[in-house]
Structures are given as structure tokens and as C-alpha cells.
Amino acid sequence: MEAAIDEKVRIASDFLLASPPGEVNDVFNDVRTLIDNDEALQEGILTALEQYNTEQLITVKLPGSDQEVIVSSHGKTNDDRYLDPRSKQTFRFDHMRLTASEVLADDSEKDSELDQLRSLLESEATKYVNDHYPDGVCTVYASAQKLVIAIVDNKFNPSNYWNGRWRATWSYDTQSGGLEGVVQVNVHYYEDGNVQLNSQKKAEATVSSEGDQEKVVTAVVKEIAAAERKYQAALNDSYSDLAEDTFKGLRRTLPMTRNKLDWNKVLNYKIGSELAQKSDI
């Protein structure tokens, strides 16, 4: 029995949420063909697209600007409007077309001391991102007593069948000095196959919130840099172990005969004679 349209849309939403980096449009076009009901599909997947875009830290350029802005749940102000703390503007974001519009000045009240600390932290974090990420984007949000640092870098290479995304979200409590973060890596390789890496690492640290603000933000970014460097080193080590140990364990050192194959005498073996016969056909 054919599934109801709402069930099809729910399944389509699950597919979209699992889309590899840079490939959500491809997935959308595929499920669009399967569902064959554009009106129901577009109405039903908007929530999933919003979740995907904000979780993946999708970036967009505001009209009249060349600077990328992160679309994050931490910057959402109301229905489909998001904050760019750097320019002190809000904008409407179309989650279907991935475009920004209706840019307005942010007129919400701010804690001046917290906003000053946010600005200093964003400046320091941006320097770090520019030094360590080829196409990295960084946005720092202020909320209550916390500062949230969002970092994302994308590398899309569909012509060579791979895409990847590094993203990190760090939260600094200005009262307790607690720093918590989650770093996530997603890479998809799909030439003659389908291989994905989905990895994440949580980290915690404490940075004193006492003293000069510039020293505080420098210490926060230093902790972030150390944690991300450690995570990247661990990834590199795991891939080295994968090549040296894991993959070798997936195959026999010797065939079942316990003898190495003599390729100069391959025609003497049954498989060799069969291959020779097939090549003559």
C-alpha cells in the first residue's frame, strides 16, 4: 500500500537532515522526484530545512556586503529573522533559497559591558579562524551571561566526488568562567561508492573571567585553539592507525592455500585458466 503524502514528506525530511555537506540541494531534487508533489513537499520540509541550516551553520552574504554571516539558532530573533552581531543588523533568511533579505538595524537592548566583551572576543576569534581555516567564518553571539562562538569552514569539491565541513560551537560563561564546546567533522566521498566520516568531540575548560577583558578573550581563544588542535591531531592519528592496522586486518596476509600467489605462473592456477578462457571468447 502506498504511503500517505504526510508520511512521504516526513521521510523526505529525514533524508534532508542527513544530507552531507554541500549536497542538500541534490538530496532535495531526489526526494522531490520521489514524492511528485511540490506543494506538499515545500510546505512540509521547511522546518527540516531550518533545522538543517542552523545546525550546519550555513553562511550567507547580506545584501550589499561581501562578508559571510553564520545562520545559527543562537542568532535567531523571531520568525526567519537572524542577527549579525558584527554589523548590528538583523535579516530575514529564506531556508529554501538560502538568501538573505530585509536587512534592518538591530534595536534590541544590550548589556554594554557584555557587548563590549563580545566584540573583543569576536575580533580575537576571527584572527584565529583566519589563521587556521582557509575559508573559515566566525560569529560570536551574546546571550544573558554567555558568549557563544560559532565557527564553520566548508570545502566542496564535487568534481572529484567529495565534500567536507568542519564546525564548532563554543559557549563561554562570563560569570563562572566555564568554557564548553563541540567540534564536528563531516566528510563525504562518493566516487564509485559512498563513504562518510561523521565525528564529533566535546571539550571543557575553565578561563578566569576576572581582570582585563583583552586578557580574558585571549585566554578563551587560546583554550579553543588548543582543544581543536588536539582533536585534529587525534583524527590524524586515527587515520594512520586505520591504514596501518585496521585495513590490514580486513584481508588475509596469505590466501587460503597459505601460499603466496606466483603471478608469473598465474595460468597454472584454475582461476588463471578461467580468466584466459574468458578473454578468448
Side-chain angles (χ1 to χ4, degrees):
M1 184 174 64
E2 187 176 359
I5 188 63
D6 56 345
E7 178 65 11
K8 288 183 178 180
V9 171
R10 185 194 65 77
I11 295 171
S13 297
D14 290 341
F15 277 126
L16 288 170
L17 290 172
S19 299
E23 299 172 44
V24 67
N25 286 338
D26 297 327
V27 175
F28 173 78
N29 290 330
D30 288 340
V31 298
R32 180 185 182 187
T33 302
L34 293 173
I35 291 180
D36 196 25
N37 187 325
D38 282 358
E39 183 177 353
L41 176 63
Q42 293 190 26
E43 181 180 348
I45 65 170
L46 285 177
T47 300
L49 285 175
E50 179 182 351
Q51 181 182 344
Y52 180 85
N53 291 333
T54 54
E55 286 181 353
Q56 295 293 322
L57 303 182
I58 296 299
T59 62
V60 66
K61 290 182 180 179
L62 301 188
S65 174
D66 292 330
Q67 196 167 52
E68 297 277 357
V69 177
I70 291 177
V71 177
S72 164
S73 60
H74 300 286
K76 188 172 183 179
T77 58
N78 52 43
D79 292 342
D80 295 331
R81 291 198 69 82
Y82 295 85
L83 172 67
D84 173 24
R86 183 183 287 107
S87 65
K88 293 181 171 54
Q89 298 179 111
T90 65
F91 58 93
R92 185 172 297 280
F93 185 72
D94 187 324
H95 290 281
M96 182 74 70
R97 297 175 178 81
L98 304 182
T99 57
S101 61
E102 300 180 30
V103 180
L104 300 172
D106 177 29
D107 56 3
S108 60
E109 294 185 6
K110 298 279 192 309
D111 181 319
S112 59
E113 185 176 353
L114 183 64
D115 192 54
Q116 182 181 12
L117 186 62
R118 187 215 66 79
S119 181
L120 289 172
L121 181 57
E122 184 170 64
S123 177
E124 191 70 19
T126 300
K127 291 178 185 177
Y128 161 69
V129 169
N130 290 339
D131 286 342
H132 292 80
Y133 298 89
D135 301 298
V137 180
C138 172
T139 300
V140 179
Y141 305 93
S143 177
Q145 64 186 36
K146 291 186 177 181
L147 297 174
V148 177
I149 306 104
I151 300 171
V152 65
D153 193 7
N154 302 302
K155 190 68 174 180
F156 302 146
N157 197 337
S159 61
N160 286 315
Y161 305 101
W162 63 265
N163 298 298
R165 172 174 292 134
W166 173 294
R167 54 197 159 109
T169 303
W170 296 89
S171 176
Y172 176 63
D173 190 314
T174 59
Q175 299 299 312
S176 68
L179 177 66
E180 299 179 346
V182 179
V183 186
Q184 297 169 281
V185 176
N186 183 202
V187 179
H188 183 213
Y189 179 76
Y190 51 99
E191 183 177 15
D192 295 329
N194 185 7
V195 180
Q196 287 199 55
L197 164 70
N198 285 293
S199 175
Q200 75 170 32
K201 176 67 175 180
K202 295 182 179 180
E204 296 181 357
T206 301
V207 178
S208 174
S209 57
E210 301 295 329
D212 183 79
Q213 286 189 337
E214 292 186 359
K215 290 183 179 179
V216 171
V217 300
T218 299
V220 169
V221 174
K222 185 178 179 180
E223 289 291 344
I224 292 173
E228 295 190 351
R229 184 167 54 248
K230 183 178 179 180
Y231 176 51
Q232 183 178 8
L235 282 176
N236 291 340
D237 290 342
S238 67
Y239 274 107
S240 177
D241 292 340
L242 192 68
E244 294 297 322
D245 299 321
T246 309
F247 279 155
K248 286 184 178 179
L250 293 175
R251 63 180 297 275
R252 295 175 180 272
T253 305
L254 295 173
M256 293 183 69
T257 60
R258 311 302 298 170
N259 294 312
K260 290 185 178 180
L261 187 66
D262 187 345
W263 292 102
N264 294 322
K265 299 178 180 178
V266 69
L267 290 178
N268 294 333
Y269 299 108
K270 181 179 179 182
I271 187 172
S273 62
E274 289 177 350
L275 290 173
Q277 288 172 8
K278 289 182 180 180
S279 64
D280 291 336
I281 296 175

